Amino acid sequence: MSVRTVPDQAVARHGWVQALGAVLAGLAAMVLVAALGLWAAGAADLPDGAFPRVVVATVVTAVGGSIEMTGNAGGLADTEADLTVLPLSVTLTGALVIARGFLRPLRHRAVAGGTELAGWAGRVAVVWLLALLGLALAARQTFTISLGEGTLGDIGDLFGIEPEVGFATDVPITLLFGLLWLAGVLTLAVVVARGAPLSGRLLRFQTSVRPATYAMVVLLLAYVAVGIVVALVVAATRGHAAETFAVILLGLPNLVWLALTIGLGATWDGRVEGPFGLPMPHVLDEVLRGQDVAALNLSSLAEQDGRVWWLVVVDAVLLLAAAFLMAVRSPARMRAWQHAVHLAVALALTVLMICLVARISAHYGLSVLGIGDLGGDLAGELFLRPRVWTAVGLALLWGLVAGFLGGLLARQVHGGAGRRCG
């Protein structure tokens, strides 16, 4: 009687069918989250059956795709619009599902050859690009803007002005950044997952890179979990359930990861003008509205609501927990200063990533007969951008302190385990 080896039993196939399944599962999850979020936000009432195309456009932007805004108002008027924002709830959902699908065939493996990993990733990438191409071609729509009643409406009727604003995908840019997004997700999945195999050349890095990366992923997910709890409490006690669920399903990481950086002491510059607004909490809108450029930080937020100082406490507690988690997953021989360096670098890179993906820029306007933005509900501007290097520097300092303390705490755990074994 033959005996099957452990690898034969444990290793699943990873061919084209499995690649198709991983990609379709990820896209289906993203479409579902985006559709529910947009429905909660009221986008189901968009004219001309535009809702499905808006959902597709949301998924495209969630993976780094580029959506170009277009405008047309006839020969006597002009419209312009631009929008840069990543719906990070959709992004995070897709990343988690695709990463799980990518890792599943590789489970229970200690080592995998570079050729094998590259071949499996290549299959996923090919299917991903084909699917993304279809989404990019479908993400296009045009809307007519009502001038309303009164003077503007009379001018529009007189000159036959029917302003339109639409969107379409920049396909080459979308495919490029979508591929880079996938590469980042797959790389991070292999680095983070303890059960994922590494090639022989990378094994020496797993003791330093893998625990720190895992701790940062857990930290980011912990902030999302805390944000969900807070949002549900707000929805239950203050109402506005639909708007709250829209925030959860579309942009919760945008807010909670922003809060993470602010709790570290970072400053974001921003402005809100016109009908634009930030969904939650309202204190952000109060700080940013009415100024050319407002500084969003602990000090400016505390002027509106003193409870914002709790962000520092939350940062300290969760960072220390992440540092301890990193240290206990590291070899016992590592010293506290090594843990400090590892966490400092990991946290600095994490904050840099947040600064790159959480920035927001939006503007639209209508001009008639050469007159600039007409204001009211026909023009608006919103932007939010970080002071990147200040934020990264603060993250380094926090990481050094938290990493050192986490290393000291983990030493007690390692020491206690050693004494029990002895």
Side-chain angles (χ1 to χ4, degrees):
M1 182 176 65
S2 62
V3 179
R4 298 180 66 186
T5 63
V6 173
D8 290 335
Q9 295 173 339
V11 180
R13 290 176 54 83
H14 44 285
W16 290 103
V17 174
Q18 289 74 22
L20 179 63
V23 171
L24 290 182
L27 288 177
M30 296 174 79
V31 168
L32 178 62
V33 171
L36 291 175
L38 290 169
W39 173 78
D45 298 329
L46 290 171
D48 303 325
F51 180 69
R53 295 181 183 272
V54 173
V55 171
V56 172
T58 302
V59 173
V60 168
T61 58
V63 298
S66 176
I67 298 293
E68 295 182 341
M69 307 298 290
T70 59
N72 180 36
L76 299 176
D78 185 35
T79 61
E80 62 176 73
D82 63 78
L83 175 65
T84 303
V85 61
L86 265 67
L88 290 179
S89 293
V90 182
T91 303
L92 181 61
T93 300
L96 292 175
V97 175
I98 290 177
R100 180 176 177 81
F102 178 75
L103 291 175
R104 191 171 188 277
L106 302 175
R107 65 190 186 279
H108 309 306
R109 301 279 298 278
V111 180
T115 302
E116 179 187 3
L117 288 175
W120 172 222
R123 294 185 187 94
V124 175
V126 171
V127 176
W128 171 255
L129 285 177
L130 292 175
L132 190 58
L133 176 61
L135 293 176
L137 294 176
R140 56 184 69 241
Q141 184 71 34
T142 301
F143 304 94
T144 300
I145 302 175
S146 174
L147 295 177
E149 300 179 354
T151 304
L152 281 179
D154 294 339
I155 293 176
D157 293 337
L158 178 63
F159 293 103
I161 298 172
E162 294 184 352
E164 295 180 341
V165 172
F167 62 85
T169 307
D170 186 332
V171 177
I173 295 297
T174 295
L175 294 180
L176 173 61
F177 283 98
L179 184 59
L180 292 175
W181 179 85
L182 179 68
V185 169
L186 300 187
T187 301
L188 194 60
V190 172
V191 171
V192 169
R194 177 178 283 184
L198 296 175
S199 64
R201 296 179 179 179
L202 298 178
L203 285 175
R204 64 181 183 273
F205 296 109
Q206 67 177 347
T207 57
S208 59
V209 175
R210 181 166 276 176
T213 308
Y214 178 82
M216 290 299 98
V217 171
V218 171
L219 176 68
L220 294 178
L221 294 179
Y223 267 90
V224 173
V226 171
I228 291 175
V229 172
V230 172
L232 292 177
V233 171
V234 170
T237 57
R238 301 184 183 179
H240 306 291
E243 292 85 347
T244 300
F245 280 106
V247 171
I248 293 175
L249 293 169
L250 293 175
L252 185 63
N254 299 70
L255 293 174
V256 295
W257 295 347
L258 170 67
L260 164 61
T261 65
I262 291 177
L264 297 177
T267 296
W268 293 63
D269 295 319
R271 181 186 184 190
V272 176
E273 181 184 23
F276 284 123
L278 296 176
M280 187 179 70
H282 185 63
V283 65
L284 298 181
D285 190 83
E286 293 177 344
V287 172
L288 297 177
R289 189 174 295 276
Q291 301 186 48
D292 290 338
V293 179
L296 185 68
N297 51 34
L298 286 170
S299 177
S300 62
L301 288 171
E303 293 177 1
Q304 304 293 330
D305 190 340
R307 292 174 297 179
V308 74
W309 290 107
W310 281 102
L311 292 178
V312 180
V313 178
V314 174
D315 272 9
V317 172
L318 292 183
L319 270 178
L320 185 59
F324 177 76
L325 177 64
M326 178 197 71
V328 297
R329 292 172 67 94
S330 301
R333 66 179 182 274
M334 282 195 178
R335 300 179 180 178
W337 69 265
Q338 292 176 299
H339 293 305
V341 172
H342 292 166
L343 189 68
V345 173
L347 183 60
L349 292 175
T350 299
V351 168
L352 177 60
M353 180 274 296
I354 294 173
C355 290
L356 294 177
V357 302
R359 59 181 63 205
I360 301 172
S361 175
H363 169 266
Y364 72 90
L366 170 68
S367 61
V368 178
L369 299 175
I371 301 174
D373 286 348
L374 297 180
D377 290 336
L378 299 176
E381 182 180 18
L382 164 65
F383 70 85
L384 190 62
R385 52 176 179 257
R387 298 180 187 178
V388 177
W389 301 118
T390 301
V392 171
L394 289 167
L396 283 171
L397 293 176
W398 276 80
L400 286 172
V401 174
F404 187 82
L405 294 176
L408 293 179
L409 292 174
R411 182 180 300 174
Q412 304 301 318
V413 175
H414 288 309
R419 287 191 295 270
R420 286 193 299 270
C421 291

